[in-house]
């Protein structure tokens, strides 16, 4: 079931990237070939980019694929690294979990405004962010569990998975 959900997430990510690329190509064609630029294509590219980044970050990227600053943890012993990992995931999970009500409230509030050209409400444009925030909390809990049990690697990076 998890592999089917991941496959669906990949299909959605590919569709988002494909739509963004198509809008980008249409924008270039209309501007430089037809000499009739379209305003909505720029907006579509930005909206699709926002959705692509948060969608893939929430559902497709492993922990090791996210940007991290690990100079300190790389310089300490494995025990200290484990402690830093636990502290980091507790802070990250609590920060996103405690911010979630405010995130949802603010995005709900954003329905009062919309994008300039396509008139898509901003609450719809940014509705992917609470999904991302929930995914960060879930990933933090799972990573915390692995760190406490002494398994710092994500399941997809174990030798058996490769």
């Amino acid at each position: 079931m998890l592999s089917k959900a991941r496959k669906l997430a990949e299909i959605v990510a590919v569709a988002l990237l494909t739509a963004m690329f198509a809008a980008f190509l249409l924008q270039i064609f209309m501007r430089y070939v037809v000499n009739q630029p379209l305003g909505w294509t720029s907006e579509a590219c930005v909206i699709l980019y926002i959705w692509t980044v948060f969608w893939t970050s929430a559902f497709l990227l492993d922990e090791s694929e996210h940007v991290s600053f690990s100079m300190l943890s790389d310089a300490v012993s494995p025990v200290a690294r484990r402690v830093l990992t636990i502290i980091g995931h507790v802070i990250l999970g609590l920060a996103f979990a405690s911010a979630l009500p405010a995130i949802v409230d603010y995005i709900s509030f954003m329905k009062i405004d919309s994008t300039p050209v396509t008139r898509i409400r901003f609450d719809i444009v940014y509705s992917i962010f609470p999904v991302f925030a929930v995914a960060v909390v879930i990933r933090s809990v799972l990573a915390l569990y692995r760190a406490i049990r002494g398994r710092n690697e994500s399941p997809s990076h174990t030798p058996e998975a490769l």
Side-chain angles (χ1 to χ4, degrees):
M1 187 169 131
L2 202 56
S3 66
K4 287 185 181 188
R6 183 171 177 86
K7 188 67 173 173
L8 177 62
E10 288 173 355
I11 290 168
V12 170
V14 167
L16 290 167
L17 283 169
T18 302
M20 183 172 61
F21 187 63
F24 179 70
L25 289 178
L26 179 61
Q27 179 182 20
I28 291 171
F29 177 78
M30 293 302 292
R31 178 177 303 257
Y32 296 110
V33 176
V34 181
N35 201 24
Q36 294 289 324
L38 301 172
W40 67 267
T41 54
S42 294
E43 242 175 52
C45 284
V46 170
I47 293 167
L48 289 165
Y49 179 75
I50 289 167
W51 270 77
T52 301
V53 167
F54 287 121
W55 181 267
T56 57
S57 294
F59 298 117
L60 296 174
L61 295 180
D62 290 327
E63 185 179 344
S64 64
E65 296 171 320
H66 285 275
V67 174
S68 65
F69 301 98
S70 60
M71 287 176 25
L72 178 62
S73 66
D74 289 345
V76 297
S77 71
V79 173
R81 185 176 305 127
R82 185 174 172 195
V83 170
L84 289 173
T85 299
I86 290 169
I87 292 169
H89 285 296
V90 166
I91 291 170
L92 185 66
L94 286 176
F96 272 86
S98 64
L100 195 55
I103 290 169
V104 171
D105 185 50
Y106 187 71
I107 290 175
S108 296
F109 167 74
M110 292 176 75
K111 70 182 170 205
I112 65 169
D113 203 3
S114 59
T115 59
V117 177
T118 59
R119 310 305 296 162
I120 298 172
R121 290 186 349 219
F122 279 129
D123 63 327
I124 295 169
V125 171
Y126 291 106
S127 63
I128 188 64
F129 190 73
V131 175
F132 166 75
V134 169
V136 168
V137 172
I138 292 169
R139 284 175 173 246
S140 293
V141 169
L142 293 174
L144 183 61
Y145 175 76
R146 281 193 309 271
I148 289 171
R149 293 195 41 118
R151 299 178 190 157
N152 287 334
E153 290 187 289
S154 65
S156 62
H157 290 327
T158 58
E160 298 84 20
L162 299 175

